[in-house]
């Protein structure tokens, strides 16, 4: 387990300390951020998220508590050490861009290298490489006023990366951008995190951007209210299993707090179906999957939309991929009816004669993802595991562990891959069968 790259303990920052207009902006914030994480500080205006941003940056000293970056307190630095910290350790992306309009784009990107003693040739070479990386290689000799808002912000990203910082601080980086430019900038940041393993701190009040984070730090009234891991991201930080949600649907509702239950179910299905499909096609696919989940579209119509050209309003997938997806979605939705039937009875404490029959059917469904042989003994253990999970007695992780545990230890004896495949498929059936309430 790596050491935190940023750590706060009971961090408090008070403006106008000791004066009549004293205001406590953060209240006892304790957190750990690990190398390579994307962390979103999420909350309304005035909740304290930008205050933490400026404190990490080294320009807003804590009034109480502790702050460490790379194991050191930046406020113990000399003036020279602080300049080095702010130019080498941290890169900054602001909502307002802060480019110099009187110099060229390439000179804006190269500017931070000036303070590190690079000669002009090396500065321009490094800046040009970064401009090419952000898709603006041909724009270097233009001035910022010649570019669109999205292009300007990508220049800002290049400038922030020019000194190879370990941490990128992004304060509402898409606040002044349209939806297309927002997508481009966020995907650029995601790519930087993926390839460079740069730690990114994202300050935002836009719920649509939470999908890019490994964990979301929910802020309110200066306090860190809760930390929610993103179920779509492989976690870097150690997650307390006791604090994880019961189902993926609950986790998704935290990551996408403004989405309704149907939208969350759509995301769950699409996450299962997609791997190497472009962002635009995924958005179109979500629209089509919604039609299936709401029973507004038949399996045949769903297949036809999947194969229809993207330019004609379809998703633009191949026939073989479309056929496989249509089959999977149809199976999951049909099988989820048994989950819904079981849960209705169970939650109302109505025991019924067909309970075993439904458990047997659900067991058969999930075993479609298992290609091995099932002895009667293993099948009995499998049925019991399914019964406990569908009744809510066990959580997803416990269901997986029961499948992966050896038969000598009382488990079903699946290998890790089979146990994971069966578990993930069963969760998709459960999610679609849950009669979820609207997220607030």
């Amino acid at each position: 387990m790596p050491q935190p790259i940023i750590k706060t303990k009971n961090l408090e920052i008070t403006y106008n300390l000791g004066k009549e207009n004293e205001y406590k902006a953060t209240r006892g914030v304790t957190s750990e951020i690990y190398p390579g994480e994307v962390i979103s500080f999420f909350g309304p205006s005035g909740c304290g998220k930008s205050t933490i941003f400026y404190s990490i940056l080294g320009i807003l000293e804590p009034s109480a508590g502790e702050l460490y970056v790379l194991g050191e307190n930046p406020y113990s630095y000399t003036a020279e050490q602080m300049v080095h910290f702010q130019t080498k350790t941290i890169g900054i992306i602001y909502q307002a861009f802060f480019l110099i309009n009187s110099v060229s784009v390439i000179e804006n990107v190269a500017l931070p290298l000036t303070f590190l003693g690079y000669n002009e040739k090396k500065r321009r070479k490094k800046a040009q490489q970064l401009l090419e990386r952000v898709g603006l290689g041909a724009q270097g000799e233009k001035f910022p006023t010649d570019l669109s808002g999205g292009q300007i912000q990508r220049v800002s990203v290049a400038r922030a990366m020019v000194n190879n910082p370990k941490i990128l601080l992004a304060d509402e980086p898409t606040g002044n951008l349209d939806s297309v430019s927002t997508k481009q900038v966020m995907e650029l940041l995601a790519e930087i995190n993926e390839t460079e393993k740069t730690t990114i701190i994202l300050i935002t009040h836009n719920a649509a951007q939470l999908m890019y984070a490994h964990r979301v730090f929910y802020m309110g009234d200066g306090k860190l209210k809760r930390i929610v891991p993103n179920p779509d991201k492989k976690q870097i930080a150690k997650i307390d299993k006791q604090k994880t949600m019961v189902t993926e649907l609950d986790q998704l509702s935290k990551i996408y707090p403004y989405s309704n239950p149907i939208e969350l179910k759509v995301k769950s299905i699409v996450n299962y179906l997609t791997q190497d499909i472009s962002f635009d096609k995924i958005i179109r696919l979500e629209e089509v999957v919604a039609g299936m989940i709401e029973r507004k579209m038949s399996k045949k119509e769903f297949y036809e939309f999947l194969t229809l050209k993207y330019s004609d309003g379809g998703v633009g997938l191949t026939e073989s991929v479309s056929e496989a997806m249509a089959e999977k979605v149809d199976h999951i939705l049909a099988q989820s009816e048994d989950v819904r039937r079981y849960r209705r009875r169970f939650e109302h404490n109505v025991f019924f004669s067909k309970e075993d029959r439904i458990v047997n059917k659900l067991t058969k469904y999930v075993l479609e993802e298992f290609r091995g042989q099932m002895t009667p003994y293993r099948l009995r253990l499998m049925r019991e595991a399914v019964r406990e999970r569908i009744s809510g007695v066990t959580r997803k992780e416990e269901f997986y562990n029961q499948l992966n545990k050896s038969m000598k230890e009382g488990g079903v004896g699946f290998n890790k891959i089979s146990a994971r495949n069966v578990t993930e498929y069963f969760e998709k059936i459960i999610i679609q069968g849950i009669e979820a309430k609207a997220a607030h």
Side-chain angles (χ1 to χ4, degrees):
M1 185 74 183
Q3 292 298 308
I5 193 169
I6 299 172
K7 183 176 181 179
T8 66
K9 184 177 181 181
N10 298 321
L11 184 69
E12 295 194 357
I13 298 169
T14 304
Y15 293 105
N16 305 314
L17 186 64
K19 299 180 180 180
E20 290 184 4
N21 59 344
E22 178 178 301
Y23 173 70
K24 187 171 288 188
T26 66
R27 302 167 183 269
V29 175
T30 297
S31 65
E32 293 183 344
I33 297 171
Y34 291 87
E37 279 196 293
V38 178
I39 298 294
S40 283
F41 279 87
F42 178 71
S45 298
C47 69
K49 56 187 188 295
S50 291
T51 297
I52 292 176
F53 173 98
Y54 290 112
S55 185
I56 294 171
L57 179 56
I59 61 177
L60 196 55
E61 186 173 2
S63 309
E66 302 171 22
L67 167 68
Y68 300 98
V69 181
L70 291 171
E72 296 183 349
N73 174 11
Y75 294 95
S76 67
Y77 291 158
T78 64
E80 184 179 351
Q81 289 174 324
M82 183 62 84
V83 170
H84 186 270
F85 168 75
Q86 292 173 337
T87 54
K88 284 290 292 179
T89 302
I90 291 179
I92 315 164
I93 306 166
Y94 294 102
Q95 177 180 343
F97 313 136
F98 292 126
L99 298 185
I100 302 173
N101 290 329
S102 59
V103 301
S104 68
V105 165
I106 195 168
E107 289 172 323
N108 267 281
V109 175
L111 184 61
L113 295 173
T114 305
F115 305 109
L116 297 179
Y118 283 70
N119 62 40
E120 182 180 3
K121 183 178 179 180
K122 288 184 177 180
R123 292 199 304 266
R124 290 182 68 88
K125 181 179 179 181
K126 182 71 178 293
Q128 182 62 34
Q129 290 173 342
L130 283 166
L131 285 173
E132 290 174 0
R133 179 173 180 179
V134 301
L136 298 172
Q139 313 298 325
E141 299 307 325
K142 293 183 178 180
F143 290 87
T145 51
D146 298 325
L147 305 182
S148 68
Q151 289 175 320
I152 292 173
Q153 191 60 297
R154 281 186 279 157
V155 173
S156 299
V157 173
R159 180 186 58 186
M161 290 295 296
V162 76
N163 283 333
N164 302 314
K166 293 181 173 62
I167 301 167
L168 267 183
L169 297 179
D171 188 10
E172 303 285 0
T174 63
N176 292 334
L177 305 180
D178 59 30
S179 59
V180 174
S181 298
T182 291
K183 169 181 166 294
Q184 292 173 340
V185 169
M186 293 306 301
E187 290 190 345
L188 173 60
L189 292 176
E191 187 268 334
I192 289 170
N193 171 256
E194 181 68 25
T195 58
E196 306 293 332
K197 306 305 179 186
T198 305
T199 304
I200 298 178
I201 311 299
L202 178 66
I203 308 299
T204 184
H205 62 262
N206 185 348
Q209 295 177 0
L210 302 185
M211 60 186 287
Y212 294 95
H214 290 86
R215 293 185 294 156
V216 180
F217 287 19
Y218 284 84
M219 297 291 296
D221 301 320
K223 298 178 180 179
L224 179 55
K225 296 288 190 178
R226 65 182 187 275
I227 298 175
V228 179
N230 184 343
D232 293 337
K233 292 278 190 178
K234 182 179 179 180
Q235 292 299 311
I236 297 171
K238 184 178 180 181
I239 304 300
D240 185 352
K241 291 184 178 181
Q242 297 300 320
K243 295 180 180 178
T244 57
M245 303 301 171
V246 175
T247 69
E248 181 190 6
L249 191 66
D250 295 313
Q251 289 181 310
L252 287 170
S253 71
K254 303 300 183 184
I255 297 297
Y256 305 98
Y258 302 139
S259 296
N260 63 45
I262 290 296
E263 290 169 340
L264 297 176
K265 290 185 177 186
V266 167
K267 290 183 184 299
S268 175
I269 288 287
V270 171
N271 288 344
Y272 177 67
L273 296 176
T274 60
Q275 292 182 1
D276 300 317
I277 299 177
S278 69
F279 181 85
D280 291 334
K281 287 187 176 182
I282 288 176
I283 296 299
R284 185 70 56 78
L285 181 59
E286 287 187 349
E287 296 171 358
V288 180
V289 169
M292 281 286 282
I293 288 177
E294 294 178 299
R295 308 300 196 268
K296 295 178 180 179
M297 183 182 296
S298 68
K299 177 182 176 182
K300 182 175 181 295
E301 290 171 326
F302 180 65
Y303 168 81
E304 290 172 349
F305 268 106
L306 295 181
T307 55
L308 187 65
K309 290 181 179 179
Y310 185 81
S311 59
D312 293 333
V315 182
L317 303 179
T318 65
E319 291 186 1
S320 59
V321 171
S322 299
E323 184 176 359
M325 281 192 178
E327 192 68 29
K328 285 180 179 179
V329 174
D330 187 60
H331 262 68
I332 289 173
L333 295 181
Q335 293 165 0
S336 71
E337 291 299 325
D338 285 314
V339 172
R340 184 174 289 108
R341 193 175 300 116
Y342 185 95
R343 292 294 302 174
R344 281 176 180 169
R345 298 281 188 135
F346 182 84
E347 289 172 1
H348 290 88
N349 202 29
V350 177
F351 296 96
F352 51 105
S353 59
K354 296 181 180 180
E355 177 184 348
D356 286 340
R357 186 184 304 176
I358 292 179
V359 171
N360 289 341
K361 288 174 69 176
L362 291 171
T363 303
K364 179 182 177 182
Y365 297 154
V366 297
L367 286 178
E368 291 175 358
E369 298 298 305
F370 177 65
R371 299 292 180 264
Q373 297 295 317
M374 292 294 292
T375 64
Y377 176 67
R378 292 178 81 190
L379 190 58
R380 180 171 64 80
L381 293 175
M382 185 69 202
R383 286 197 197 100
E384 193 57 34
V386 167
R387 186 191 305 275
E388 291 182 348
R389 179 70 188 110
I390 197 63
S391 301
V393 175
T394 57
R395 295 174 295 143
K396 175 182 176 180
E397 294 81 5
E398 293 168 326
F399 179 78
Y400 165 81
N401 290 335
Q402 180 63 16
L403 301 193
N404 184 229
K405 192 186 300 181
S406 70
M407 294 176 66
K408 288 182 179 179
E409 298 173 310
V412 182
F414 287 176
N415 62 38
K416 289 184 178 179
I417 295 176
S418 294
R420 179 57 59 198
N421 289 343
V422 170
T423 300
E424 292 300 329
Y425 186 76
F426 193 27
E427 289 301 303
K428 301 306 171 185
I429 299 174
I430 291 173
I431 287 167
Q432 297 307 315
I434 290 175
E435 296 177 343
K437 297 179 180 179
H440 296 288

